[in-house]
Amino acid sequence: EVQLVQSGAEVKKPGESLKISCKGSGYSFTSYWIGWVRQMPGKGLEWMGIIFPGDSDTRYSPSLQGQVTISVDKSSSTAYLQWDSLKASDTAMYYCARRTSSWFDYWGQGTLVTVSP
Amino acid sequence: DIQMTQSPSSLSASVGDRVTITCRASQDINNYLNWYQQKPGKAPELLIYDASNLQTGVPSRFSGSGSGTDFTFTISSLQPEDIATYYCQQYDNLFPMYTFGQGTKLEIK
């Protein structure tokens, strides 16, 4: 069974760093791109970026380039999304999702990130 | 950038009704158009891929059609468990880039 399991909810202060994770299982982790999708409170879905675990090829949404870093650890089948300095506007639910062709067929359960003074 | 315009933003319908949501792209995206359902407090789920293909396990009352710039998502007979927000998503293979529509919140009348 394909599963993407994300790390738990985080509460951080502005300026702090954070790294959240997404662990894949039940399929060949290095053969499928993993994307990250943001959903701000009460808002729609926004694609942030995507990584190919096989060779760490990474692409970012132009609107978010430089604001986050996507990485992967093949040995643990885990993808990561990290911030060096959080802002209140980073408060959102973050989902990882497996890409097959042009669609996202399996999704993690989401990680809620709250940034508050 | 390819822009996606999804309509309506909200919709109220009765159980058993036929429901239609549309998504329009600012330029030709072939059939790189997918549809997702997101229930409150849950992750999105893929319903339709490549405009008209039903994802495995998805009930047959859901369907999609269209190509080029205009796409339609249909629920043939609305069920209470279909209450959710629905999103279209396009894929631009030149970059690559993935863009979601604004969403349609579906409620029972």
Side-chain angles (χ1 to χ4, degrees):
Chain A
E1 178 194 8
V2 174
Q3 282 192 315
L4 295 173
V5 178
Q6 297 185 230
S7 50
E10 301 274 1
V11 179
K12 292 288 189 179
K13 294 184 177 355
E16 292 186 331
S17 63
L18 176 64
K19 193 173 188 177
I20 63 174
S21 66
C22 169
K23 183 175 176 59
S25 62
Y27 72 101
S28 175
F29 183 75
T30 54
S31 299
Y32 292 81
W33 292 79
I34 293 284
W36 286 94
V37 175
R38 179 172 74 177
Q39 187 166 38
M40 301 175 77
K43 301 299 183 183
L45 304 172
E46 180 183 13
W47 174 70
M48 302 177 70
I50 197 164
I51 189 165
F52 188 69
D55 61 6
S56 296
D57 186 6
T58 309
R59 314 291 174 88
Y60 294 93
S61 167
S63 64
L64 289 165
Q65 178 97 40
Q67 297 184 36
V68 295
T69 302
I70 294 171
S71 60
V72 69
D73 178 359
K74 287 192 292 187
S75 67
S76 63
S77 299
T78 303
Y80 299 96
L81 178 66
Q82 72 178 79
W83 296 259
D84 291 335
S85 180
L86 286 159
K87 303 186 287 287
S89 57
D90 293 317
T91 294
M93 182 71 81
Y94 293 89
Y95 295 101
C96 64
R98 189 185 82 163
R99 193 204 86 164
T100 295
S101 188
S102 73
W103 57 88
F104 296 103
D105 56 357
Y106 289 92
W107 294 67
Q109 82 277 20
T111 295
L112 180 62
V113 174
T114 303
V115 184
S116 179
Chain B
D1 289 6
I2 298 176
Q3 305 302 315
M4 302 300 295
T5 303
Q6 185 176 341
S7 61
S9 57
S10 64
L11 178 56
S12 182
S14 300
V15 172
D17 281 355
R18 183 180 184 88
V19 170
T20 298
I21 299 168
T22 64
C23 214
R24 173 166 288 177
S26 58
Q27 63 189 72
D28 190 334
I29 59 171
N30 294 301
N31 65 341
Y32 290 137
L33 194 285
N34 311 303
W35 293 95
Y36 301 84
Q37 175 193 67
Q38 186 179 32
K39 294 184 177 180
K42 299 293 188 182
E45 291 188 6
L46 175 69
L47 300 180
I48 303 287
Y49 63 92
D50 279 353
S52 60
N53 296 284
L54 194 66
Q55 173 69 343
T56 302
V58 174
S60 59
R61 65 180 180 274
F62 296 101
S63 65
S65 64
S67 65
T69 61
D70 292 303
F71 300 86
T72 300
F73 171 81
T74 300
I75 306 173
S76 60
S77 178
L78 184 66
Q79 300 302 303
E81 61 266 31
D82 299 338
I83 297 313
T85 300
Y86 293 83
Y87 294 93
C88 62
Q89 171 251 314
Q90 71 87 16
Y91 168 65
D92 180 354
N93 63 353
L94 290 181
F95 176 63
M97 185 77 181
Y98 307 80
T99 305
F100 290 91
Q102 299 90 333
T104 296
K105 186 174 183 179
L106 178 56
E107 298 174 330
I108 294 285
K109 196 181 291 183

